Amino acid sequence: MLMLPIAATGPGGASFVQALFTSTSAVCVTGLTVVDTETFWTPFGQAVIMLLIQVGGLGIMIFAALIGLVLARKFSVRSRLNTAAEAKTVGLDDVRGIVRGIVLTALALEAATFVFLFVRFLTGYGYPPGRAAWYATFHAVSSFNNAGFALYSDNLIGFVDDPFICLPIAAAIILGGLGFPVLLQLRKELPRPLHWSMNTKLVLSATVLLLIVGTAYITLLEWDNPATFGRLDPWARVLAGFFHSVQTRTAGFNSVDIGAMHGETWLGMDVLMFIGGGPAGTAGGIKVTTFAVLFFVMVTELRGEAAVNIFGKRLPRDVHRQAITVVIIAIAAIITATGLLMVLSGESLDRTLFESVSAFATVGLSTGITPELSAPAQLVLVVLMFLGRLGPLTLGSAIALRDHRILYEYPKERPAIG
């Protein structure tokens, strides 16, 4: 669809690589671009991108289950199993209700974001009602789904000191990045935190902590940088710091030039992007729950305790192995892609590492080199975005294609560690 002449403004339409990269970035809710979304794509092309973002944000299997629900009013067993796996739920009887809940929650939060943005575009910038509605719709969908696509050539740099644009978008990103299991539980159990699951408690506490740390880190390092925060009023610098801390949750909007930031800022953002947001949502990265599990495993080992206990509950040992597997696959993918990008592009380590982490974590922030990369280098990022959205553990399990018990054990022997 993006290769159709009607999708692009220039003669001949988009090339295969341009269309493939953009569609992958949209359906993987990444936000990396190789062409200018505002000027290269027609309204038809932009609508296709928005549709891909919505489908990718809801999840392919959840979207397919929704279509099946509308058309057939029932699910096949396979569809229910696939949807349960993607929604991170258990059992089959509750899948239909969960799909409804996910779709309604997503649409409600996107509608709320739309209202804030529509009023601001209409009254604050004098947009005609039609244009205000289109821009509000596109950015509401893009923000809740943590995509980072914007209908402006400079992304959101023109709104760097406008809290009525930045804060609604940031709120939608945070909510989308919490993950649907957390949102659905908060909708039912918000006044009763004692009833919250370990997953909800981990996601909420880690999200708040990382947002605060990220805001302080980015704001302090960029405070006097004349190319980014230095030209802003003090309150606007804090707003920009918070906004970009939110973007590292895997959204990808930017209100200042990321390429002009200090290298130290990039490094910290690499870490935040790598961690990502909550599981079974629109965010990417290894997920805050994986990071939290490894942190508590480390604390338990340093204390010399036998079991990992979190919020008064004991963590199963298979979760330890899953967390370690996710991190190792993620690191291997990022290192491999970074090396390939350096060979194919000749760019520096810090820039290629930033692009690789951003692609794998489905963030979409860029130092500005992605549009200049060769077609083979861009295809490396396509594979990385797909891997990041699919999930290292899911891909590894699919490749292995085995789930069997070994009926014997080898004798134990301990190597030296550390």
Side-chain angles (χ1 to χ4, degrees), residues 72-400:
R73 297 291 179 181
K74 61 182 179 180
F75 297 125
S76 67
V77 173
R78 176 176 295 179
S79 297
R80 293 163 71 187
L81 284 171
N82 289 336
T83 306
E86 177 146 344
K88 297 295 187 295
T89 183
V90 293
L92 298 179
D93 295 334
D94 60 341
V95 169
R96 191 177 306 176
I98 286 176
V99 170
R100 286 198 188 99
I102 288 174
V103 173
L104 291 177
T105 299
L107 294 179
L109 292 175
E110 288 172 356
T113 308
F114 165 83
V115 171
F116 283 104
L117 296 180
F118 175 75
V119 172
R120 184 57 177 168
F121 286 140
L122 191 66
T123 61
Y125 296 92
Y127 286 13
R131 186 187 181 198
W134 168 237
Y135 274 63
T137 300
F138 187 95
H139 291 95
V141 172
S142 183
S143 57
F144 175 76
N145 290 289
N146 280 218
F149 279 89
L151 294 181
Y152 300 95
S153 297
D154 61 356
N155 206 274
L156 298 180
I157 291 179
F159 306 105
V160 62
D161 57 353
D162 188 345
F164 299 102
I165 295 291
C166 291
L167 292 182
I169 288 178
I173 292 168
I174 293 171
L175 291 173
L178 292 178
F180 290 116
V182 174
L183 292 177
L184 294 180
Q185 183 166 53
L186 290 180
R187 192 176 68 175
K188 297 178 180 178
E189 306 285 352
L190 182 61
R192 296 182 289 274
L194 293 178
H195 294 179
W196 294 352
S197 66
M198 179 191 294
N199 180 75
T200 298
K201 293 177 181 178
L202 280 178
V203 170
L204 292 178
S205 56
T207 295
V208 172
L209 176 63
L210 291 174
L211 284 175
I212 294 174
V213 171
T215 300
Y217 182 88
I218 296 172
T219 303
L220 291 176
L221 287 181
E222 294 297 319
W223 187 267
D224 294 324
N225 186 347
T228 56
F229 291 10
R231 60 185 176 83
L232 303 173
D233 294 332
W235 68 267
R237 300 181 196 186
V238 176
L239 174 64
F242 171 73
F243 187 75
H244 286 87
S245 177
V246 172
Q247 304 317 307
T248 60
R249 311 317 314 281
T250 78
F253 292 108
N254 62 283
S255 61
V256 298
D257 183 4
I258 301 296
M261 285 182 165
H262 297 307
E264 309 91 293
T265 309
W266 289 345
L267 181 59
M269 294 174 74
D270 285 339
V271 175
L272 293 171
M273 291 189 298
F274 182 76
I275 295 173
T282 60
I286 63 170
K287 305 298 188 294
V288 292
T289 47
T290 304
F291 173 76
V293 164
L294 291 179
F295 173 78
F296 283 107
V297 168
M298 178 190 70
V299 171
T300 300
E301 187 64 28
L302 292 176
R303 289 178 175 176
E305 299 174 354
V308 179
N309 300 311
I310 305 176
F311 298 122
K313 299 291 182 65
R314 182 169 59 86
L315 201 66
R317 292 191 179 277
D318 61 332
V319 177
H320 307 184
R321 298 193 299 270
Q322 290 175 356
I324 294 171
T325 301
V326 167
V327 172
I328 291 176
I329 294 177
I331 292 175
I334 290 172
I335 291 176
T336 301
T338 301
L340 288 173
L341 290 180
M342 292 180 68
V343 171
L344 295 172
S345 68
E347 293 286 348
S348 61
L349 172 61
D350 53 357
R351 290 183 179 272
T352 52
L353 176 62
F354 191 94
E355 305 295 308
S356 296
V357 175
S358 180
F360 172 81
T362 67
V363 177
L365 293 174
S366 174
T367 60
I369 67 173
T370 296
E372 309 300 327
L373 295 176
S374 62
Q378 291 176 355
L379 291 177
V380 170
L381 293 180
V382 166
V383 174
L384 205 56
M385 288 187 290
F386 185 76
L387 172 60
R389 181 58 180 144
L390 194 64
L393 193 61
T394 302
L395 183 63
S397 301
I399 293 174

